[in-house]
Short mmCIF file of all heavy atoms in Angstrom, two decimals:
data_model
loop_
_atom_site.label_atom_id
_atom_site.label_comp_id
_atom_site.label_asym_id
_atom_site.label_seq_id
_atom_site.Cartn_x
_atom_site.Cartn_y
_atom_site.Cartn_z
N GLN A 254 28.65 -31.33 88.73
CA GLN A 254 29.06 -30.39 87.64
C GLN A 254 30.20 -29.46 88.05
O GLN A 254 31.18 -29.23 87.32
CB GLN A 254 27.83 -29.48 87.15
CG GLN A 254 28.28 -28.49 86.18
CD GLN A 254 27.11 -27.70 85.57
OE1 GLN A 254 26.34 -28.26 84.76
NE2 GLN A 254 27.06 -26.44 85.85
N ASP A 255 30.08 -29.02 89.34
CA ASP A 255 31.30 -28.21 89.85
C ASP A 255 32.52 -29.03 90.00
O ASP A 255 33.64 -28.55 89.66
CB ASP A 255 30.81 -27.59 91.26
CG ASP A 255 29.87 -26.50 91.15
OD1 ASP A 255 29.50 -26.09 90.04
OD2 ASP A 255 29.45 -25.92 92.17
N ARG A 256 32.38 -30.22 90.44
CA ARG A 256 33.59 -31.14 90.58
C ARG A 256 34.26 -31.30 89.15
O ARG A 256 35.43 -31.21 89.05
CB ARG A 256 33.22 -32.52 91.15
CG ARG A 256 32.92 -32.44 92.63
CD ARG A 256 32.20 -33.66 93.13
NE ARG A 256 32.93 -34.92 92.88
CZ ARG A 256 33.78 -35.38 93.74
NH1 ARG A 256 34.04 -34.76 94.84
NH2 ARG A 256 34.35 -36.52 93.43
N ASN A 257 33.51 -31.51 88.16
CA ASN A 257 33.95 -31.72 86.81
C ASN A 257 34.53 -30.40 86.21
O ASN A 257 35.62 -30.51 85.62
CB ASN A 257 32.83 -32.17 85.82
CG ASN A 257 32.33 -33.54 86.17
OD1 ASN A 257 33.02 -34.35 86.80
ND2 ASN A 257 31.11 -33.89 85.71
N HIS A 258 33.88 -29.29 86.60
CA HIS A 258 34.48 -27.96 86.09
C HIS A 258 35.80 -27.70 86.81
O HIS A 258 36.81 -27.29 86.17
CB HIS A 258 33.44 -26.90 86.45
CG HIS A 258 33.78 -25.60 85.83
ND1 HIS A 258 33.96 -25.42 84.46
CD2 HIS A 258 34.00 -24.33 86.33
CE1 HIS A 258 34.28 -24.19 84.19
NE2 HIS A 258 34.19 -23.49 85.35
N LEU A 259 35.95 -27.97 88.14
CA LEU A 259 37.14 -27.73 88.78
C LEU A 259 38.28 -28.63 88.26
O LEU A 259 39.46 -28.35 88.11
CB LEU A 259 37.05 -27.77 90.27
CG LEU A 259 36.12 -26.82 90.91
CD1 LEU A 259 36.17 -26.92 92.45
CD2 LEU A 259 36.35 -25.38 90.43
N GLN A 260 37.83 -29.90 87.98
CA GLN A 260 38.77 -30.93 87.46
C GLN A 260 39.33 -30.47 86.03
O GLN A 260 40.55 -30.63 85.80
CB GLN A 260 38.09 -32.28 87.20
CG GLN A 260 38.91 -33.39 86.67
CD GLN A 260 38.19 -34.65 86.52
OE1 GLN A 260 36.98 -34.69 86.33
NE2 GLN A 260 38.97 -35.77 86.52
N PHE A 261 38.50 -29.81 85.23
CA PHE A 261 39.01 -29.26 83.97
C PHE A 261 40.10 -28.34 84.13
O PHE A 261 41.13 -28.41 83.48
CB PHE A 261 37.79 -28.60 83.30
CG PHE A 261 38.16 -27.75 82.09
CD1 PHE A 261 38.33 -28.44 80.87
CD2 PHE A 261 38.34 -26.42 82.21
CE1 PHE A 261 38.68 -27.58 79.69
CE2 PHE A 261 38.77 -25.65 81.11
CZ PHE A 261 38.95 -26.25 79.84
N TRP A 262 40.00 -27.37 85.14
CA TRP A 262 41.08 -26.43 85.37
C TRP A 262 42.26 -27.04 85.99
O TRP A 262 43.43 -26.70 85.56
CB TRP A 262 40.54 -25.32 86.19
CG TRP A 262 39.54 -24.38 85.51
CD1 TRP A 262 38.11 -24.51 85.53
CD2 TRP A 262 39.82 -23.57 84.48
NE1 TRP A 262 37.51 -23.71 84.58
CE2 TRP A 262 38.56 -23.04 83.98
CE3 TRP A 262 40.91 -23.04 83.87
CZ2 TRP A 262 38.43 -22.06 82.91
CZ3 TRP A 262 40.90 -22.01 82.88
CH2 TRP A 262 39.60 -21.59 82.45
N LEU A 263 42.08 -27.97 86.90
CA LEU A 263 43.22 -28.65 87.56
C LEU A 263 43.97 -29.42 86.51
O LEU A 263 45.27 -29.38 86.49
CB LEU A 263 42.68 -29.68 88.59
CG LEU A 263 42.19 -29.10 89.94
CD1 LEU A 263 41.34 -29.96 90.68
CD2 LEU A 263 43.37 -28.55 90.76
N ARG A 264 43.28 -30.21 85.54
CA ARG A 264 44.07 -30.90 84.55
C ARG A 264 44.77 -29.99 83.54
O ARG A 264 45.62 -30.43 82.78
CB ARG A 264 43.09 -31.82 83.83
CG ARG A 264 42.71 -33.04 84.68
CD ARG A 264 41.92 -34.10 84.10
NE ARG A 264 41.77 -35.27 84.92
CZ ARG A 264 40.97 -36.26 84.67
NH1 ARG A 264 40.22 -36.25 83.55
NH2 ARG A 264 40.98 -37.34 85.42
N ASN A 265 44.37 -28.69 83.51
CA ASN A 265 45.06 -27.78 82.63
C ASN A 265 46.10 -27.06 83.34
O ASN A 265 46.67 -26.04 82.88
CB ASN A 265 44.04 -26.78 82.02
CG ASN A 265 43.36 -27.28 80.78
OD1 ASN A 265 43.91 -27.32 79.71
ND2 ASN A 265 42.08 -27.81 80.99
N GLY A 266 46.41 -27.51 84.57
CA GLY A 266 47.60 -26.94 85.32
C GLY A 266 47.25 -25.80 86.21
O GLY A 266 48.23 -25.01 86.46
N TYR A 267 46.09 -25.64 86.66
CA TYR A 267 45.73 -24.49 87.48
C TYR A 267 45.47 -25.01 88.92
O TYR A 267 44.76 -25.98 89.14
CB TYR A 267 44.49 -23.72 87.06
CG TYR A 267 44.74 -23.07 85.69
CD1 TYR A 267 44.52 -23.73 84.48
CD2 TYR A 267 45.33 -21.73 85.63
CE1 TYR A 267 44.78 -23.11 83.27
CE2 TYR A 267 45.51 -21.12 84.37
CZ TYR A 267 45.33 -21.85 83.24
OH TYR A 267 45.55 -21.21 82.01
N ALA A 268 45.95 -24.30 89.94
CA ALA A 268 45.60 -24.56 91.29
C ALA A 268 44.29 -23.84 91.62
O ALA A 268 43.98 -22.79 91.01
CB ALA A 268 46.64 -24.05 92.29
N VAL A 269 43.43 -24.43 92.39
CA VAL A 269 42.07 -23.83 92.73
C VAL A 269 42.00 -23.58 94.23
O VAL A 269 42.10 -24.60 95.06
CB VAL A 269 41.00 -24.83 92.20
CG1 VAL A 269 39.59 -24.23 92.65
CG2 VAL A 269 41.03 -24.89 90.68
N VAL A 270 41.71 -22.37 94.58
CA VAL A 270 41.41 -22.08 95.95
C VAL A 270 39.87 -21.68 96.04
O VAL A 270 39.42 -21.03 95.12
CB VAL A 270 42.32 -20.95 96.61
CG1 VAL A 270 42.05 -19.62 95.84
CG2 VAL A 270 42.08 -20.82 98.04
N ALA A 271 39.20 -22.04 97.08
CA ALA A 271 37.74 -21.77 97.09
C ALA A 271 37.32 -21.57 98.59
O ALA A 271 37.41 -22.43 99.40
CB ALA A 271 36.97 -22.91 96.49
N SER A 272 36.72 -20.31 98.85
CA SER A 272 36.18 -20.03 100.12
C SER A 272 34.85 -20.63 100.25
O SER A 272 34.06 -20.67 99.28
CB SER A 272 36.22 -18.50 100.31
OG SER A 272 35.50 -18.13 101.51
N ASP A 273 34.42 -20.96 101.46
CA ASP A 273 33.06 -21.33 101.81
C ASP A 273 32.18 -20.10 101.88
O ASP A 273 31.02 -20.19 101.86
CB ASP A 273 33.01 -22.09 103.11
CG ASP A 273 33.50 -23.47 103.01
OD1 ASP A 273 33.49 -24.14 101.96
OD2 ASP A 273 33.97 -24.03 104.04
N TYR A 274 32.83 -18.89 102.15
CA TYR A 274 32.25 -17.66 102.48
C TYR A 274 31.96 -17.60 103.97
O TYR A 274 31.75 -18.58 104.63
CB TYR A 274 31.02 -17.33 101.71
CG TYR A 274 31.02 -17.40 100.18
CD1 TYR A 274 29.87 -17.84 99.50
CD2 TYR A 274 32.08 -17.10 99.45
CE1 TYR A 274 29.83 -17.89 98.11
CE2 TYR A 274 32.05 -17.24 98.10
CZ TYR A 274 30.98 -17.62 97.48
OH TYR A 274 30.98 -17.79 96.12
N GLN A 275 31.98 -16.39 104.39
CA GLN A 275 31.69 -16.02 105.84
C GLN A 275 30.45 -16.76 106.34
O GLN A 275 29.38 -16.68 105.70
CB GLN A 275 31.46 -14.51 106.00
CG GLN A 275 31.13 -13.97 107.32
CD GLN A 275 30.93 -12.52 107.38
OE1 GLN A 275 31.55 -11.73 106.64
NE2 GLN A 275 30.00 -12.03 108.26
N GLY A 276 30.65 -17.46 107.53
CA GLY A 276 29.42 -18.02 108.17
C GLY A 276 29.07 -19.38 107.61
O GLY A 276 28.03 -19.99 108.23
N LEU A 277 29.57 -19.91 106.61
CA LEU A 277 29.23 -21.28 106.14
C LEU A 277 30.34 -22.19 106.65
O LEU A 277 31.50 -22.11 106.24
CB LEU A 277 29.20 -21.29 104.60
CG LEU A 277 27.88 -21.18 103.93
CD1 LEU A 277 28.07 -21.15 102.43
CD2 LEU A 277 26.91 -22.33 104.43
N GLY A 278 29.99 -23.05 107.55
CA GLY A 278 30.96 -23.92 108.29
C GLY A 278 31.47 -23.40 109.56
O GLY A 278 31.53 -24.06 110.55
N THR A 279 31.74 -22.10 109.61
CA THR A 279 32.14 -21.43 110.81
C THR A 279 31.09 -20.76 111.50
O THR A 279 29.98 -20.61 111.00
CB THR A 279 33.24 -20.38 110.41
OG1 THR A 279 32.81 -19.56 109.41
CG2 THR A 279 34.51 -21.07 109.93
N SER A 280 31.37 -20.22 112.67
CA SER A 280 30.37 -19.52 113.54
C SER A 280 29.74 -18.34 112.84
O SER A 280 30.43 -17.56 112.15
CB SER A 280 31.02 -19.20 114.89
OG SER A 280 30.11 -18.47 115.68
N GLY A 281 28.45 -18.16 113.09
CA GLY A 281 27.74 -17.03 112.53
C GLY A 281 26.85 -17.41 111.33
O GLY A 281 27.10 -18.45 110.79
N THR A 282 26.00 -16.54 110.99
CA THR A 282 25.07 -16.78 109.84
C THR A 282 25.74 -16.32 108.53
O THR A 282 26.17 -15.16 108.46
CB THR A 282 23.75 -16.11 110.04
OG1 THR A 282 23.21 -16.56 111.32
CG2 THR A 282 22.82 -16.38 108.91
N HIS A 283 25.68 -17.13 107.54
CA HIS A 283 26.13 -16.77 106.20
C HIS A 283 25.19 -15.64 105.64
O HIS A 283 24.04 -15.91 105.55
CB HIS A 283 26.11 -18.00 105.30
CG HIS A 283 26.34 -17.70 103.85
ND1 HIS A 283 27.41 -16.89 103.43
CD2 HIS A 283 25.65 -18.03 102.74
CE1 HIS A 283 27.32 -16.81 102.13
NE2 HIS A 283 26.30 -17.40 101.62
N PRO A 284 25.76 -14.54 105.29
CA PRO A 284 24.92 -13.46 104.75
C PRO A 284 24.59 -13.73 103.24
O PRO A 284 25.35 -13.25 102.39
CB PRO A 284 25.78 -12.26 104.92
CG PRO A 284 27.07 -12.56 105.73
CD PRO A 284 27.16 -14.09 105.55
N TYR A 285 23.65 -14.43 103.04
CA TYR A 285 23.35 -14.93 101.67
C TYR A 285 23.28 -13.88 100.67
O TYR A 285 22.46 -12.98 100.80
CB TYR A 285 22.10 -15.86 101.64
CG TYR A 285 21.72 -16.31 100.33
CD1 TYR A 285 22.47 -17.28 99.68
CD2 TYR A 285 20.57 -15.87 99.70
CE1 TYR A 285 22.16 -17.77 98.39
CE2 TYR A 285 20.15 -16.33 98.41
CZ TYR A 285 20.98 -17.30 97.75
OH TYR A 285 20.60 -17.73 96.50
N LEU A 286 24.10 -13.94 99.54
CA LEU A 286 24.08 -13.01 98.44
C LEU A 286 24.65 -11.65 98.78
O LEU A 286 24.68 -10.71 97.85
CB LEU A 286 22.70 -12.93 97.84
CG LEU A 286 22.31 -14.00 96.84
CD1 LEU A 286 20.97 -13.66 96.17
CD2 LEU A 286 23.32 -14.17 95.66
N ALA A 287 25.00 -11.34 100.05
CA ALA A 287 25.63 -10.10 100.32
C ALA A 287 27.04 -10.10 99.72
O ALA A 287 27.83 -11.00 100.07
CB ALA A 287 25.63 -9.86 101.83
N THR A 288 27.30 -9.17 98.85
CA THR A 288 28.56 -9.24 98.03
C THR A 288 29.84 -8.83 98.81
O THR A 288 30.80 -9.35 98.45
CB THR A 288 28.37 -8.35 96.77
OG1 THR A 288 27.99 -7.02 97.08
CG2 THR A 288 27.39 -9.03 95.82
N ARG A 289 29.73 -7.93 99.67
CA ARG A 289 30.96 -7.52 100.40
C ARG A 289 31.51 -8.64 101.29
O ARG A 289 32.67 -8.86 101.29
CB ARG A 289 30.72 -6.29 101.30
CG ARG A 289 32.03 -5.65 101.83
CD ARG A 289 31.90 -4.34 102.45
NE ARG A 289 31.23 -4.43 103.76
CZ ARG A 289 31.36 -3.45 104.69
NH1 ARG A 289 32.03 -2.39 104.47
NH2 ARG A 289 30.76 -3.62 105.89
N PRO A 290 30.63 -9.36 102.02
CA PRO A 290 31.22 -10.51 102.81
C PRO A 290 31.83 -11.56 101.92
O PRO A 290 32.90 -12.05 102.19
CB PRO A 290 29.97 -11.11 103.51
CG PRO A 290 29.06 -9.97 103.64
CD PRO A 290 29.25 -9.12 102.40
N GLU A 291 31.17 -11.82 100.70
CA GLU A 291 31.79 -12.78 99.79
C GLU A 291 33.16 -12.29 99.32
O GLU A 291 34.07 -13.04 99.27
CB GLU A 291 30.84 -13.01 98.59
CG GLU A 291 29.57 -13.64 98.90
CD GLU A 291 28.49 -13.57 97.79
OE1 GLU A 291 28.70 -12.63 96.96
OE2 GLU A 291 27.52 -14.30 97.83
N ALA A 292 33.24 -11.00 98.98
CA ALA A 292 34.42 -10.45 98.49
C ALA A 292 35.63 -10.53 99.53
O ALA A 292 36.69 -10.94 99.16
CB ALA A 292 34.24 -9.00 98.05
N TYR A 293 35.31 -10.13 100.68
CA TYR A 293 36.33 -10.14 101.81
C TYR A 293 36.82 -11.59 101.99
O TYR A 293 37.95 -11.86 102.12
CB TYR A 293 35.80 -9.60 103.06
CG TYR A 293 35.64 -8.09 103.07
CD1 TYR A 293 35.89 -7.27 101.90
CD2 TYR A 293 35.23 -7.42 104.26
CE1 TYR A 293 35.75 -5.93 102.03
CE2 TYR A 293 35.05 -5.99 104.26
CZ TYR A 293 35.33 -5.31 103.18
OH TYR A 293 35.21 -3.96 103.21
N SER A 294 35.85 -12.55 102.03
CA SER A 294 36.26 -13.93 102.20
C SER A 294 37.14 -14.48 101.11
O SER A 294 38.15 -15.15 101.32
CB SER A 294 34.99 -14.80 102.34
OG SER A 294 34.16 -14.52 103.39
N ASN A 295 36.78 -14.09 99.88
CA ASN A 295 37.57 -14.55 98.75
C ASN A 295 38.93 -13.86 98.75
O ASN A 295 39.96 -14.55 98.48
CB ASN A 295 36.91 -14.18 97.40
CG ASN A 295 35.60 -14.99 97.20
OD1 ASN A 295 35.46 -16.04 97.60
ND2 ASN A 295 34.58 -14.32 96.49
N LEU A 296 38.97 -12.59 98.95
CA LEU A 296 40.38 -11.91 98.90
C LEU A 296 41.27 -12.41 100.06
O LEU A 296 42.45 -12.62 99.87
CB LEU A 296 40.11 -10.40 99.12
CG LEU A 296 39.48 -9.67 97.88
CD1 LEU A 296 38.89 -8.31 98.22
CD2 LEU A 296 40.46 -9.66 96.73
N ASP A 297 40.66 -12.75 101.22
CA ASP A 297 41.49 -13.18 102.26
C ASP A 297 42.00 -14.65 102.09
O ASP A 297 43.06 -14.96 102.61
CB ASP A 297 40.78 -12.96 103.67
CG ASP A 297 40.86 -11.50 104.05
OD1 ASP A 297 41.88 -10.94 103.80
OD2 ASP A 297 39.90 -11.05 104.70
N ILE A 298 41.17 -15.56 101.49
CA ILE A 298 41.73 -16.88 101.25
C ILE A 298 42.86 -16.84 100.21
O ILE A 298 43.77 -17.64 100.31
CB ILE A 298 40.58 -17.85 100.90
CG1 ILE A 298 41.09 -19.36 101.13
CG2 ILE A 298 40.12 -17.65 99.45
CD1 ILE A 298 40.01 -20.36 100.92
N ILE A 299 42.79 -15.91 99.27
CA ILE A 299 43.85 -15.80 98.29
C ILE A 299 45.08 -15.33 99.06
O ILE A 299 46.21 -15.87 98.85
CB ILE A 299 43.45 -14.74 97.17
CG1 ILE A 299 42.34 -15.27 96.39
CG2 ILE A 299 44.68 -14.41 96.35
CD1 ILE A 299 41.63 -14.25 95.43
#
């Protein structure tokens, strides 16, 4: 469903950037549902 949703936006001419969020993939534990780490990760990938 996410792949299809992102495809919808791509086909409408939008680029999509997407963070894994802090600690997912990289070193350290992902702070699940903690909003400030998510926000910082999103702002910095932009």
Side-chain angles (χ1 to χ4, degrees):
Q254 178 172 291
D255 286 356
R256 287 163 61 85
N257 292 340
H258 191 54
L259 299 190
Q260 182 182 24
F261 169 83
W262 292 100
L263 287 161
R264 287 187 170 171
N265 276 282
Y267 294 89
V269 176
V270 65
S272 175
D273 288 332
Y274 307 147
Q275 175 181 329
L277 263 176
T279 51
S280 177
T282 301
H283 169 51
Y285 177 66
L286 278 182
T288 51
R289 191 172 75 161
E291 294 166 342
Y293 287 5
S294 294
N295 293 331
L296 290 164
D297 281 325
I298 197 171
I299 295 167

